[in-house]
Amino acid sequence: MTPARVASAVASPAPALWVLIVAALLLLMLAAAVVGLLVQRVRRHRHDVEAAALAERLRRDAHHDRLTGLRNREGFLHAVTGAGGAVALVDLSLLDQVNDTLGHARGEVFVRLATERLVDVRLPSLTGRELVAARLEGDTFAVHLPGVDGHDAHRAGEELRDRLLAPYVVEGVRFEPPVVVGVAADGPWLADVPAGPARTAALLRRADVALAATRDGVEAVRCYEPSMGERAARRLRLIRGFSAAVERRDVRVDFQPVVSLGERTVVGVEALARWDHPELGLLLPDEFVPVLEATGQIAELTTFVLDESLAAARRWLDRGMRLSVAVNVSVGNLGTPGFPEEVAMLLAAHRVPAELLTLELTESGVSSEREIALPVMRRLHALGCHLAVDDFGTGQSSLAHLRRLPVDQVKIDKSFVLGMGTEYGDVAVVRAIVEMGHTLGLTVVAEGVEQAAVRATLAEMGCDVAQGYLVSRPLPARCFDSWLESLEAHPDEPGAAPGPRTLIA
């Protein structure tokens, strides 16, 4: 073999070797592809597992309350799937107090404590069946009571309330919850609503109406009745129509005179709101004021009444009559930080001295919200306004409690005054209030005076001033002005003479 052939043979491998090399490379590529496929499948499986876990977590979060782990409203609607049973709404009405006293973090502790009690509840009326619970908001919970019909609904609601009524101790502070419960039972009236979320939502709405009915303070557990739905619709109509009614002047201010019992002279008036509703007729404050307080619209009403009353006071001053004006104020008004400034602005706008304005607050309102009311009352008193405690005798005030309040007057509740003609006990109560008020240096006002004998008895007791139908009913502004003109002027201060006139009623 020539040297050239030898060199060529050495430089070029045999064909078999090439085959082996190519086969090895193909095997390596195949192995790499298989490994890549396996890795991809593992990653895809892991992704699917994580996606499924995330989806499950999102579904759970969408149907559960994060703080308590209970179902939320949406979860409750989907958890109660069958027909029958009842739904109870439970309001502990305590969270705001815990938050204000100890802070929101302790408020969450309270909510968890309430949740623990709720999930441990076993009601005799359920005969061993477990209830479904949800936290709707704050310290308001919904509970499904399976197998409970209309006959047992009230008893089940009372059992549920009893188990949540025990005091709660948070950070060593004891709180007693005023638990209220509204219950709605399934029945034929829901026959056209399919079982499931829609039916549960209908029960929830009716339980909410029943819960609202507990706020009248008569019963802590109420079951839904169709008439409640009518009242709820009426309330909704009042809520939606109030602002427009003020603009149309359907809301007005009437004035009832206040008379000095000693001289029987007119010393002032009480301003009373009236609503001439085009469909519902004449509405008195007892019907629409609680609705406005619940929705935060009470501030609009108070501003309107203050403005109208001070305008009237200015009008009387210009005619030589110095009459004080008493305006009812809600505790909700005292929760508005700028309320004293608003009062000062209205007094200045109408050029009325502050001492001619009396702001009346109910005894129960001042007692229940003392921490909120007291600082604002002090600011109002500093303006020069007079402050009065209205409906005195029906709440929990005491001599010591009144002594700490910056008030100038107490108004005896008319229920005691009306009873003076027939009940000796009411006479004793009124006499005690008069003596207590004078001990504190307060002016005492008697409401609801309708009989001359009662007026004489009040005068003998030393009661300072009175108002009631014996003197006059509340009158619209024009009628009241005519009534004033009809009065006889005090002989010592003839009406023709300059300065204030004293009118005998």
Side-chain angles (χ1 to χ4, degrees), residues 126-418:
L126 295 185
T127 62
R129 285 171 287 192
E130 292 188 2
L131 49 78
V132 177
R135 181 192 180 211
L136 302 186
E137 60 182 358
D139 55 359
T140 301
F141 299 86
V143 180
H144 179 240
L145 306 170
V148 173
D149 59 18
H151 298 291
D152 296 328
H154 194 276
R155 179 163 59 91
E158 288 182 330
E159 292 173 356
L160 189 59
R161 179 175 184 267
D162 289 343
R163 281 155 177 76
L164 296 171
L165 201 56
Y168 292 79
V169 179
V170 182
E171 295 289 327
V173 181
R174 178 187 174 98
F175 296 94
E176 296 186 4
V179 184
V180 290
V181 181
V183 187
D186 202 345
W189 50 275
L190 280 178
D192 58 337
V193 181
R199 199 180 189 98
T200 306
L203 282 170
L204 265 179
R205 287 193 297 271
R206 285 155 178 79
D208 191 41
V209 171
L211 184 68
T214 65
R215 297 191 179 110
D216 61 11
V218 177
E219 295 180 72
V221 178
R222 297 293 297 272
C223 292
Y224 174 79
E225 300 171 2
S227 60
M228 291 179 180
E230 296 171 5
R231 287 196 295 271
R234 186 181 177 99
R235 286 169 60 93
L236 184 60
R237 185 183 299 182
L238 296 180
I239 292 167
R240 290 177 174 172
F242 175 71
S243 294
V246 173
E247 292 179 5
R248 292 194 307 266
R249 311 295 289 186
D250 289 343
V251 178
R252 71 170 196 261
V253 177
D254 287 1
F255 299 102
Q256 185 174 33
V258 177
V259 177
S260 168
L261 281 169
E263 295 81 14
R264 292 175 60 176
T265 56
V266 181
V267 294
V269 299
E270 180 177 2
L272 299 165
R274 300 289 186 264
W275 184 349
D276 287 314
H277 198 284
E279 299 173 0
L280 303 177
L282 180 64
L283 304 179
L284 301 181
D286 287 348
E287 178 164 8
F288 62 85
V289 165
V291 175
L292 300 180
E293 287 178 329
T295 59
Q297 293 175 288
I298 191 65
E300 184 178 358
L301 175 64
T302 303
T303 299
F304 174 78
V305 175
L306 279 170
D307 189 51
E308 292 287 302
S309 301
L310 293 177
R314 179 69 258 169
R315 186 170 66 250
W316 298 325
L317 282 171
D318 292 340
R319 292 166 54 193
M321 292 177 286
R322 188 178 175 88
L323 300 178
S324 65
V325 181
V327 175
N328 291 283
V329 175
S330 166
V331 175
N333 294 124
L334 301 187
T336 305
F339 182 64
E341 287 73 21
E342 180 185 7
V343 172
M345 180 186 69
L346 289 170
L347 286 167
H350 291 287
R351 297 178 294 114
V352 174
E355 64 267 20
L356 289 185
L357 176 61
T358 299
L359 300 174
E360 298 184 359
L361 300 106
T362 62
E363 177 189 3
S364 57
V366 173
S367 299
S368 62
E369 302 291 345
R370 186 173 180 273
E371 298 304 319
I372 296 174
L374 189 55
V376 181
M377 290 175 67
R378 287 172 176 160
R379 291 167 61 194
L380 291 167
H381 204 258
L383 290 177
C385 301
H386 290 176
L387 300 179
V389 176
D390 199 7
D391 300 336
F392 191 82
T394 60
Q396 303 298 321
S397 288
S398 63
L399 184 66
H401 179 66
L402 269 184
R403 184 170 50 84
R404 292 192 293 267
L405 296 176
V407 297
D408 307 279
Q409 295 181 7
V410 288
K411 300 190 72 174
I412 306 171
D413 185 72
K414 63 182 179 181
S415 62
F416 297 111
V417 177
L418 290 171

